[in-house]
Amino acid sequence: MSAKAYHTPQRQAVYEVIRESGDHPTAVEIMDRLRKRGQNFAYGTIYNSLRYLVDAEYISELKLGDNASRYDANIEDHHHITCMECGKIDEVYADLPKEWLDAVAQETNYAVDKPVNFHHVVLKGVCADCRGK
């Protein structure tokens, strides 16, 4: 995306931090990373920038069960897996089986047919690093 698409240097800076991050940062982590770059923005500016970027669909807001929202610049259709020991988050690109989506639709009476509706599944497990400890 061009800088013009964001309309402000603050939004551009927030987007760049998220895009360059591989760990799905929280707003506080984004602010810390901006400060390390010498960019000091108020909390309100960070949160307003995040809301704009989410609403404009430049980034995704992830609610993965912890208290703070996390942000992802990868807006492709994908899922996430979190480590129950260390909190690490990884992306999962495996397709959901049609049989599973059909079973969910049957059980809940919700329409879950792809590609009309976006599905986001959060899996939990223990990462290789934590299993090796």
Side-chain angles (χ1 to χ4, degrees):
M1 300 287 159
S2 70
K4 187 176 181 180
Y6 302 113
H7 304 292
T8 68
Q10 294 86 351
R11 291 176 186 161
Q12 178 72 31
V14 168
Y15 177 77
E16 287 174 5
V17 166
I18 297 166
R19 189 189 55 171
E20 294 167 5
S21 299
D23 61 349
H24 306 82
T26 64
V28 171
E29 291 168 337
I30 293 165
M31 178 170 279
D32 290 343
R33 292 171 193 182
L34 286 166
R35 284 190 177 141
K36 286 179 183 173
R37 294 179 175 194
Q39 298 171 304
N40 293 309
F41 303 134
Y43 276 108
T45 301
I46 301 296
Y47 285 104
N48 289 338
S49 296
L50 289 168
R51 180 61 32 222
Y52 171 85
L53 293 167
V54 168
D55 290 347
E57 299 181 354
Y58 292 125
I59 62 172
S60 296
E61 180 178 12
L62 306 174
K63 297 182 186 276
L64 301 175
D66 50 4
N67 294 331
S69 291
R70 296 183 168 274
Y71 297 91
D72 190 354
N74 180 354
I75 56 173
E76 294 178 34
D77 189 7
H78 67 286
H79 312 285
H80 293 89
I81 188 165
T82 64
C83 179
M84 296 185 301
E85 299 291 324
C86 69
K88 178 183 174 184
I89 302 166
D90 282 304
E91 295 176 339
V92 177
Y93 290 95
D95 288 330
L96 297 176
K98 182 176 180 346
E99 298 80 21
W100 187 78
L101 294 174
D102 291 344
V104 169
Q106 179 74 26
E107 181 179 324
T108 64
N109 202 28
Y110 279 66
V112 291
D113 50 325
K114 265 190 166 179
V116 176
N117 300 308
F118 174 76
H119 309 103
H120 181 242
V121 173
V122 178
L123 303 165
K124 293 187 179 188
V126 179
C127 72
D129 290 340
C130 290
R131 280 194 325 271
K133 290 180 183 175

